[in-house]
Amino acid sequence: MAQETSLVIDRGTCPELRLAPDDERARNARLNAREYAEQKIVLESLPTLLIVELTQNCNLACVMCRPAMRYDPSRNMSPEVFERALWLFRYAAIADLRGWGESTILRHFPVWVRKAVDTSVRLRLITNALAMTPALWELLCSGPNIVGVSLDSADPGVFARLGRGDLQRVIANLRRGVLERDRCRQAEIYLNTIVSSETIDGLSAIVTLAADLGIERVVMSPVSCAPENRLHLQHVRNSIRGVLDAAERTAIALGVELQLGAAFDTSLVVEKGLLPVCPNPWSNALIDYRGRVGFCHHLIGHPELTMGNIAERPFTEIWNSGQFQRLRAEHLRARDARAVEPPFSKCSWCYRNRYTDVEDIVMPAMGARRVVAGGTVPLMPPIAEATPSGALANPNVGHFKILTGT
């Protein structure tokens, strides 16, 4: 390996690697992209996207998520586990501080955000925004961070019926966030919308609300549930095309970028927006609240798909363990099969339906694969200028319309 792409590894105890200067983060991103493109299954690079699950406790009980549960301190990440993960922030392009819960309800959340900010990593947070304070907005907007606010309906009644809480409170907190964003001129705030049979008729209204708030991007993804569940989109599949067409026209008229996280129906898949080989086993490390290590930000809440615990083994040992090597090999085979064998078979749905989320930021080799409708705002700049010409690089660079795929 050429000297300029090699990482200096310290095989000592903790921290496992020396502190990374800014150029080392960019070097890690380039090396990670190259190892993905060259189909390596044993990596010298470290993950470029960290997902650190701070808690599984939540202040809501949304109908599309999980049943209500009592607050349980044992479901919060301990300071010891967080400190064990913190050194990885210095090599990652993005650190995503969320999990199967609401991170902002933790009293020490601002302290952990400051520790993360001190590593110069770009933060990403998806939040229901009910507990967002002016001080927290100021902290998150002080750098090029990404805050996604969950908003599934612009109708207060529907919003409450979904278990999302008080819509007016969320809107008020969003307005505070947008003011802070505009003052600092560094962060992005977007709306993260889960679309179900209960909410699909209100997509244009969400786009309109985003424009009114000064929010420039809305990401919409289909609800994940069994087909027999009343929320599943198959119950309204005949209306999906018309609703998306109307939302597209609204987005173009208002200058809002409407992005799809996945196909709403198998008949509407934009083939060019699908990833040839999912980069997550190369670029992602999910560290859950107990310190268990997984590989995908779409698999939060699946401990059966974790492969070791940083409280018990060094991360570098887990990262290149036999389980991670098998995972990467299975995904390389999925390029042609469009399916992944057990125990990773949950990934098969994504190969046939899911579009780029944050992959094109942490791994520029993927190109801009986002499936969008209209919009005037360019993508946030990538961390690294890595564009390897390996077999996995995507030749279809650009945005694709949500219905035609052109």
Side-chain angles (χ1 to χ4, degrees):
M1 187 68 63
Q3 181 62 38
E4 65 271 19
T5 60
S6 297
L7 293 178
V8 179
I9 304 288
D10 179 358
R11 297 297 182 184
T13 55
C14 186
E16 296 172 75
L17 301 191
R18 300 179 187 140
L19 299 185
D22 289 341
D23 61 341
E24 199 70 9
R25 172 177 283 121
R27 186 179 302 165
N28 182 61
R30 289 193 296 270
L31 177 57
N32 186 261
R34 182 169 290 110
E35 290 182 322
Y36 165 79
E38 293 175 353
Q39 306 180 36
K40 299 291 182 64
I41 63 171
V42 177
L43 307 184
E44 292 182 42
S45 63
L46 294 165
T48 55
L49 173 60
L50 286 177
I51 308 96
V52 182
E53 182 184 56
L54 302 183
T55 184
Q56 288 198 341
N57 288 297
C58 193
N59 52 356
L60 294 176
C62 302
V63 297
M64 76 291 293
C65 185
R66 65 181 187 189
M69 56 189 297
R70 296 182 58 138
Y71 183 88
D72 181 356
S74 70
R75 288 182 173 268
N76 296 335
M77 179 174 281
S78 69
E80 293 76 17
V81 170
F82 183 81
E83 291 294 335
R84 280 182 176 270
L86 190 58
W87 69 273
L88 286 165
F89 287 46
R90 299 182 180 275
Y91 292 87
I94 293 179
D96 193 330
L97 300 180
R98 46 120 179 194
W100 206 35
E102 175 58 38
S103 299
T104 62
I105 67 174
L106 299 174
R107 285 185 297 177
H108 50 271
F109 180 65
V111 175
W112 285 0
V113 169
R114 289 189 189 95
K115 287 191 174 190
V117 167
D118 285 345
T119 70
S120 300
V121 72
R122 178 187 288 176
L123 296 179
R124 184 174 187 243
L125 175 70
I126 295 181
T127 173
N128 58 41
L130 288 168
M132 290 292 288
T133 63
L136 194 49
W137 278 121
E138 181 179 1
L139 184 59
L140 288 167
C141 290
S142 64
N145 303 315
I146 307 168
V147 180
V149 174
S150 299
L151 198 148
D152 301 340
S153 176
D155 181 306
V158 175
F159 196 81
R161 191 164 67 246
L162 293 171
R164 285 296 194 183
D166 183 351
L167 177 61
Q168 296 310 314
R169 182 177 173 183
V170 173
I171 290 174
N173 283 341
L174 271 168
R175 291 194 189 281
R176 294 188 188 99
V178 169
L179 286 173
E180 192 62 33
R181 178 205 67 186
D182 291 347
R183 186 182 74 83
C184 296
R185 305 178 74 125
Q186 293 191 77
E188 179 195 15
I189 300 172
Y190 73 93
L191 298 185
N192 187 64
T193 299
I194 302 300
V195 181
S196 70
S197 62
E198 292 273 324
T199 62
I200 191 164
D201 290 335
L203 301 193
S204 292
I206 292 173
V207 175
T208 301
L209 176 61
D212 177 65
L213 291 170
I215 291 174
E216 298 160 329
R217 185 163 67 102
V218 180
V219 180
M220 296 186 175
S221 302
V223 65
S224 176
C225 61
E228 59 270 19
N229 190 304
R230 65 180 176 82
L231 297 174
H232 199 280
L233 287 175
Q234 76 162 7
H235 303 298
V236 291
R237 66 179 308 185
N238 291 337
S239 63
I240 292 174
R241 181 178 289 273
V243 168
L244 283 177
D245 184 59
E248 180 177 41
R249 291 196 303 270
T250 302
I252 292 171
L254 297 178
V256 173
E257 183 178 89
L258 174 57
Q259 176 185 341
L260 296 192
F264 283 17
D265 186 74
T266 54
S267 66
L268 297 175
V269 173
V270 178
E271 295 287 345
K272 291 180 181 177
L274 300 177
L275 300 173
V277 171
C278 177
N280 293 353
W282 285 260
S283 63
N284 281 209
L286 163 63
I287 301 176
D288 78 1
Y289 73 102
R290 291 178 58 180
R292 295 171 296 199
V293 180
F295 64 93
C296 181
H297 53 294
H298 298 300
L299 292 174
I300 295 171
H302 287 280
E304 74 279 8
L305 294 177
T306 57
M307 303 180 217
N309 193 313
I310 61 171
E312 301 167 358
R313 299 166 61 192
F315 175 83
T316 48
E317 182 180 309
I318 298 169
W319 184 235
N320 279 313
S321 65
Q323 290 172 294
F324 255 104
Q325 291 182 49
R326 179 187 170 193
L327 168 70
R328 293 174 187 130
E330 289 288 345
H331 276 265
L332 289 173
R333 284 191 282 271
R335 183 184 189 189
D336 297 321
R338 312 309 295 167
V340 184
E341 294 294 321
F344 310 116
S345 51
K346 285 186 178 294
C347 301
S348 297
W349 185 90
C350 294
Y351 272 100
R352 295 189 280 265
N353 297 276
R354 195 176 296 284
Y355 308 133
T356 292
D357 177 8
V358 70
E359 292 84 0
D360 56 340
I361 298 177
V362 300
M363 190 172 285
M366 298 306 301
R369 302 184 68 90
R370 296 187 180 185
V371 177
V372 301
T376 58
V377 183
L379 298 180
M380 295 187 74
I383 292 294
E385 297 301 324
T387 54
S389 58
L392 302 185
N394 173 35
N396 299 308
V397 176
H399 284 178
F400 308 107
K401 295 180 181 178
I402 61 176
L403 289 178
T404 64
T406 59

